């Protein structure tokens, strides 16, 4: 089921397109990661979807919006650096946000208490936001973005500013939220995207350069590389490896021998066979799965 | 319902940041300064060293109406500055800090956002004006003679319209600019220019909002509401409505992030 269609979205700042003819559709209940280096246009896309920015050209259409209603009621948005009314308490802010989205008062109070607990800051609910730490603000930010039960949750770099523990907790929280709503989040930390997202959109200089599920992209960008690490110099073994029919080429980097295979399965067999027969002093043997980093570098350089 | 939520938040904010305490106090101070200092002027001069023997100063006998007008004079100059001060950040400040980004991604109607802020300021300003002039009236009745309470209420009513316009000018610039300083500067500049233009072309601009206090003084002297006063009040109200409507349109057409 399609939730949202973005077609030919373009946003121009000072004659430079921050987002350049971007088109994609979201399926309901997916978690999509928007990946790209700084300045790729991630924040601009999120802000345009949230309605804060108006697109220069192109459109954002909700599938269920036949009556052409205000789309903001279905959207929850967390900016990269959320700013709150520091004189309010966390709970007050949540109730306020919920009421602005037409949630009745009693329901708003109930949801606020639930969400404070869910994001793990329930003890701080009655404290003024001016006393909150960065991580607490980030959690409160997620709570305020979800309090009106939006269909689409937009998170701008939700975990980049958190410490490892906070990062883990927020990622777990996103896994939970995925059950209830569609999530689009931006990140430049590829590992995070790998962890929670179902689909990836790779963004470079305002354009979507690659998209798909993690598995699809892995397959597409898989490399036939094997890395061998020896206890000492790897040069004596290079000739033996190169002699194998399944090997295309190799190069030496101190104790490491990087091998480009023609047939990766055959090459693995060949190398392991010889290595065990001749008792090579191997310290590690790895089949190089394409990491998101490699993939990203390839796509960007293309 | 949403408007009430926004309005309540503004009222709570003005309470928590103590505007509801210091702003009325400032207005009270301005309102009672002249009535008291003029009455005790002879004693003040004596206490500060006096004048040479034989000096004879005739102090005018002020009527209660004249003294109330002195209070208005203080509010017109200093009070207006303080009003600009308390209102110049109400929208611009929220946009600058970025908190409006969280608020305006919620389905908030822009007219609600602006009119709720406007209304909260109006309640604060009218409340302070009423309390201030009440204090002034108290001293006037004790020190200078009686002035009907009904007249005082009329002064508050008509003069409140002028202060409403001041708030609206500030709100208008709030929607145009993100910098709090620019909003404050342009608001004060606009009010000064209005006053200047009215002084130069006074004969043709009898219904300029600047003349409200003159017509109020006439009302106190003649003890009746002149058509000029009514006309000026209507003009003031009309400009207020136009500016407020304009503010909503400007705000709607703006992108919140810029």
């Amino acid at each position: 089921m399609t939730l949202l269609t973005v077609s030919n979205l373009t946003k121009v700042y000072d004659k430079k397109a921050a987002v350049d003819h971007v088109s994609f559709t979201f399926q309901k209940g997916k978690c999509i990661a928007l990946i790209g280096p700084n300045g790729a246009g991630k924040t601009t896309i999120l802000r345009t979807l949230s309605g804060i920015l108006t697109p220069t050209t192109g459109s954002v259409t909700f599938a269920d919006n036949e009556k052409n209603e205000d789309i903001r009621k279905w959207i929850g948005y967390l900016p990269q650096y959320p700013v709150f009314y520091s004189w309010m308490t966390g709970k007050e802010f949540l109730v306020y946000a919920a009421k602005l989205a037409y949630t009745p008062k009693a329901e708003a109070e109930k949801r606020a208490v639930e969400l404070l607990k869910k994001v793990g800051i329930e003890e701080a609910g009655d404290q003024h936001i001016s006393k909150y730490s960065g991580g607490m603000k980030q959690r409160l930010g997620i709570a305020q973005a979800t309090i009106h039960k939006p269909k689409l949750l937009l998170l701008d770099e939700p975990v980049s500013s958190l410490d490892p523990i906070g990062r883990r907790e927020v990622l777990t929280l996103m896994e939970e939220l995925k059950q209830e709503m569609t999530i689009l989040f931006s990140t430049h930390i590829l590992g995070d995207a790998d962890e929670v997202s179902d689909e990836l959109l790779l963004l470079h200089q305002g354009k979507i350069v690659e998209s798909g599920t993690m598995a699809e992209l892995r397959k597409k960008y898989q490399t036939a590389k094997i890395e061998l690490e020896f206890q000492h110099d790897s040069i004596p073994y290079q000739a033996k490896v190169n002699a194998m029919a399944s090997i295309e080429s190799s190069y030496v980097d101190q104790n490491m021998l990087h091998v480009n295979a023609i047939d990766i399965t055959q090459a693995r067999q060949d190398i392991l066979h010889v290595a065990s027969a001749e008792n090579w002093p191997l310290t590690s043997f790895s089949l190089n799965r394409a990491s998101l980093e490699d993939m990203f570098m390839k796509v960007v350089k293309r | 319902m949403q408007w009430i939520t926004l309005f309540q938040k503004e009222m709570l904010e003005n309470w928590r940041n103590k505007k509801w305490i210091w702003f009325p106090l400032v207005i009270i101070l301005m309102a009672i300064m002249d009535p008291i200092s003029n009455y005790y002027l002879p004693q003040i001069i004596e206490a500060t060293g006096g004048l040479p023997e034989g000096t004879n100063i005739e102090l005018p006998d002020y009527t209660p109406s004249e003294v109330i007008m002195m209070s208005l004079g203080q509010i017109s100059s200093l009070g207006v500055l303080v009003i600009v001060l308390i209102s110049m950040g109400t929208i611009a400040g929220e946009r600058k800090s970025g908190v409006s980004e969280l608020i305006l991604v919620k389905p908030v109607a822009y007219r609600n956002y602006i009119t709720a802020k406007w209304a909260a300021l109006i309640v604060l300003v009218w409340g302070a004006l009423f309390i201030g002039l009440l204090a002034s009236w108290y001293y006037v009745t004790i020190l200078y003679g009686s002035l009907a309470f009904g007249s005082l209420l009329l002064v508050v009513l008509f003069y409140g319209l002028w202060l409403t316009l001041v708030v609206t000018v500030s709100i208008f610039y709030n929607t145009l600019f993100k910098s709090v300083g620019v909003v404050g500067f342009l608001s004060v500049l606009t009010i000064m220019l209005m006053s200047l233009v009215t002084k130069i072309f006074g004969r043709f601009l009898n219904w300029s909002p600047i003349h409200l206090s003159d017509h109020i003084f006439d009302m106190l002297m003649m003890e009746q509401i002149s058509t000029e006063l009514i006309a000026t009040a209507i003009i003031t109200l009309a400009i207020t409505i136009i500016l407020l409507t304009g503010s909503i349109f400007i705000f709607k057409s703006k992108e919140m992030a810029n």
Side-chain angles (χ1 to χ4, degrees), chain B residues 7 15 32 36 44 54 78 90 94 116-117 131 166 200 215 231 234 240 242:
Chain B
F7 180 72
W15 175 249
I32 63 174
I36 293 178
I44 293 170
L78 288 174
T90 186
E94 288 195 359
K117 281 180 174 294
I131 298 169
V166 172
I200 294 171
H215 296 318
I234 290 172
T240 301
I242 291 167

Side-chain angles (χ1 to χ4, degrees), chain A residues 152-164:
Chain A
L152 176 63
L153 179 61
L154 305 168
L155 306 170
D156 197 356
E157 302 275 2
V159 293
S160 340
S161 64
L162 299 177
D163 59 38

